[in-house]
Amino acid sequence: MDSELDQAQPAGRPHVHHLVDRRTFLRVAGVSAAGAVAAACGPGGSPAPVASSTPAPTTSGPPATRLPTSPPNWDDLRGQLSGSLLRPGVDGYDTAKRAFNPLFDSKNPVAVVAAANTKDVQASVQAVAGRASIAARSGGHSYAGYSVPDSGLVVDLAGLNKVQVQGSQAVIGAGAKLKDVYATLAQAGRALPAGSCPTVGIAGLTLGGGIGVLSRKYGLTCDRLSSAQVVMADGRVLKAAADSEPDLFWGLRGGGGGNFGIVTEFTFDTDPAPDVTVFSLHFPAGSAADVLSAWQQWIAAMPPELWANCVLSGGSPVQVRVGGCYVGGAAGLNTLLNNLTTNAGARPTQRTVKSLDYLGAMNYFSGSSNRQSFVASSRIITSPVDAAKVVALADGRTGTDLLIDGLGGKVGEPAKDATAFWHRDALASVQIYAPATAKTQQKVAQSVGEVVAGLAAAGAGGGYVNYIDPALPDWKNAYYGENAKRLQDVARKYDPDNVFRFGQSVVA
């Protein structure tokens, strides 16, 4: 539902403990959460009570296949809602329609529903299905702006933001932001592997997979999903779990936000909150190829307790830094870092190592909540690539960053078809991120596309759906590989009329 995500959601990270802007934290960290449904920011606080109006999930049956084509009755829908409905031209609409990225401010949905509960989501889907496109928005971080459809309905889930810890499990509303999820979990001494950007919605992040700084130790966010409550195309509410709607449950774990239905609530299995040692290494100019080459061999050999990225900042010369965290103490981490610097043959110009509690570490990797204008895409490294070729792609591209996030460890344990997330055998993901304005967007997008093509030529193919890119060649295969066929089967079963459709949706 970055994330996309994000439809979509995404995210990133920093080399110092103070807050930085999104571009900086993305450059230094580069984790994300994006995909296909997104969310808005909200203050952290006590968990909201479970709405008494939440309908009980039903069992599956054949969804309706006859859809109306007449215009929605907006006044009738407004009367059914506990939340609000805004149409173009009314006060608050221009703010309510906004996504995280200002490049999508020109998009004009036909209406924005601020859902107060699951019943509001049901009513919205039943009123609009077949008459206009429908996009859920959890955090609003969709890299492609899919959560703000032109002439479509935005179902804003920001009000469904409860975070409740129940023993070893956490029940989280689809509109909850990562900053609030982390704060509430930490208060209860629990942890969930997730992304970095504080305003990414839990929904888009989870539905696209959920890469984060603790992924190598604890797995993807979607791997911790126990069940999900989903509003389907015909307005029914289903519970998706291993023993209830297993096909839908499979598709929700990495199939991308915005597909199949609108998730309104997640239940996750959590772990005891660990203490974490964070680190940042800045290397001298001219060492980027040597560092990246050594990093690829090093991260593959590291224990799962260590997560690290390698960030290439475009320019002349290309700058390089390595950052990350270690579930353990500084002494053990320093030994591992020394191994990297020795193999890279480059002495860091700056080295920072700091021990923090779980919440402190999540805040360290967090960034500002300010909106950011950017163009981005992704590739996946499965086997080590030619570092010199990758660095050459960043040469002269000032402002463009390649954020190479280590995978492996717990991420690689499930079979590639165990969930919809295909890239279980990946060594790393690569996010290509470049700031842009409305005037420079086309030029920047062309530059990003050149880097994407160059990475593929260097051996980094595929793509991560939470860094969703409308221009990515062969996107279905890039995101889903051989899982694409089963995802289409899931769509055919649960959304045969493609009610939840967008530019890169999984269609029946």
Side-chain angles (χ1 to χ4, degrees):
M1 225 157 101
D2 229 123
S3 206
E4 260 158 220
L5 267 0
D6 348 295
Q7 326 250 297
Q9 275 103 274
R13 81 199 42 66
H15 64 286
V16 289
H17 65 278
H18 59 271
L19 291 181
V20 293
D21 65 24
R22 177 177 177 81
R23 177 182 170 214
T24 303
F25 85 74
L26 276 165
R27 291 170 58 185
V28 180
V31 187
S32 187
V37 214
C41 270
S46 302
V50 179
S52 60
S53 59
T54 299
T58 61
T59 57
S60 74
T65 56
R66 284 185 171 181
L67 295 175
T69 57
S70 56
N73 186 325
W74 298 112
D75 290 335
D76 183 60
L77 174 58
R78 185 179 286 109
Q80 298 178 52
L81 299 174
S82 297
S84 63
L85 185 153
L86 295 175
R87 303 277 325 275
V90 305
D91 289 344
Y93 168 84
D94 287 340
T95 299
K97 71 170 185 171
R98 284 181 182 170
F100 181 81
N101 191 334
L103 291 181
F104 304 121
D105 283 355
S106 60
K107 290 193 170 191
N108 291 301
V110 68
V112 179
V113 167
N117 50 46
T118 297
K119 283 190 173 182
D120 281 359
V121 179
Q122 287 181 283
S124 299
V125 171
Q126 290 171 323
V128 179
R131 297 176 165 104
S133 60
I134 303 172
R137 186 177 67 197
S138 167
H141 284 253
S142 171
Y143 278 14
Y146 287 142
S147 56
V148 189
D150 260 327
S151 301
L153 172 67
V154 175
V155 181
D156 184 359
L157 304 174
L160 282 66
N161 61 356
K162 72 177 180 184
V163 183
Q164 294 181 331
V165 179
Q166 302 174 355
S168 64
Q169 290 191 318
V171 180
I172 303 177
K177 310 307 176 290
L178 293 188
K179 61 179 181 179
D180 302 326
V181 171
Y182 289 141
T184 303
L185 288 177
Q187 189 175 24
R190 307 300 297 181
L192 179 70
S196 300
C197 182
T199 59
V200 157
I202 190 66
L205 173 72
T206 303
L207 298 174
I211 294 172
V213 301
L214 297 178
S215 293
R216 283 173 47 83
K217 173 64 175 175
Y218 298 110
L220 302 173
T221 311
C222 73
D223 295 335
R224 311 318 302 264
L225 184 64
S226 174
S227 67
Q229 180 175 272
V230 194
V231 175
M232 307 311 298
D234 59 358
R236 292 172 305 144
V237 179
L238 299 183
K239 176 184 177 182
D243 60 355
S244 173
E245 312 297 343
D247 290 336
L248 179 59
F249 184 58
W250 178 88
L252 295 178
R253 290 174 293 157
N259 291 308
F260 317 128
I262 297 178
V263 179
T264 58
E265 183 178 283
F266 299 85
T267 300
F268 295 99
D269 295 321
T270 66
D271 287 284
D275 289 329
V276 179
T277 304
V278 300
F279 64 92
S280 177
L281 308 175
H282 291 240
F283 289 90
S287 63
D290 290 336
V291 171
L292 176 56
S293 181
W295 181 90
Q296 292 181 90
Q297 302 296 331
W298 174 76
I299 193 65
M302 287 298 97
E305 287 75 17
L306 183 140
W307 172 87
N309 67 2
C310 182
V311 179
L312 304 176
S313 293
S316 299
V318 176
Q319 300 295 319
V320 61
R321 65 176 67 86
V322 173
C325 64
Y326 178 66
V327 180
L333 172 61
N334 278 319
T335 299
L336 301 177
L337 296 182
N338 291 341
N339 178 269
L340 171 64
T341 57
T342 297
N343 291 338
R347 184 181 181 87
T349 57
Q350 177 183 327
R351 177 168 173 158
T352 301
V353 175
K354 186 175 183 179
S355 295
L356 300 168
D357 62 15
Y358 167 69
L359 183 58
M362 296 305 100
N363 289 338
Y364 171 91
F365 288 116
S366 178
S368 168
S369 299
N370 294 335
R371 303 172 78 211
Q372 298 291 319
S373 297
F374 63 94
V375 174
S377 189
S378 68
R379 282 298 188 188
I380 300 291
I381 297 175
T382 303
S383 300
V385 296
D386 187 324
K389 290 182 179 179
V390 175
V391 171
L393 293 171
D395 187 29
R397 298 184 195 269
T398 302
T400 297
D401 296 307
L402 277 64
L403 302 98
I404 307 170
D405 290 337
L407 296 174
K410 197 78 172 178
V411 176
E413 289 185 6
K416 289 172 73 67
D417 61 355
T419 69
F421 183 84
W422 175 248
H423 303 295
R424 295 293 181 177
D425 57 350
L427 174 69
S429 66
V430 185
Q431 179 178 189
I432 307 96
Y433 179 95
T437 65
K439 290 184 178 180
T440 65
Q441 182 178 2
Q442 185 173 355
K443 182 179 180 180
V444 171
Q446 180 180 346
S447 176
V448 168
E450 291 169 356
V451 176
V452 168
L455 287 169
Y464 178 37
V465 70
N466 273 356
Y467 303 143
I468 201 162
D469 174 11
L472 187 67
D474 193 18
W475 59 267
K476 190 177 298 182
N477 183 65
Y479 298 147
Y480 305 123
E482 294 177 15
N483 286 340
K485 173 63 169 62
R486 185 175 174 187
L487 282 167
Q488 287 179 294
D489 292 340
V490 174
R492 187 174 298 110
K493 179 177 180 179
Y494 290 99
D495 185 17
D497 296 310
N498 299 322
V499 168
F500 300 105
R501 63 188 182 275
F502 55 97
Q504 290 183 337
S505 57
V506 175
V507 297

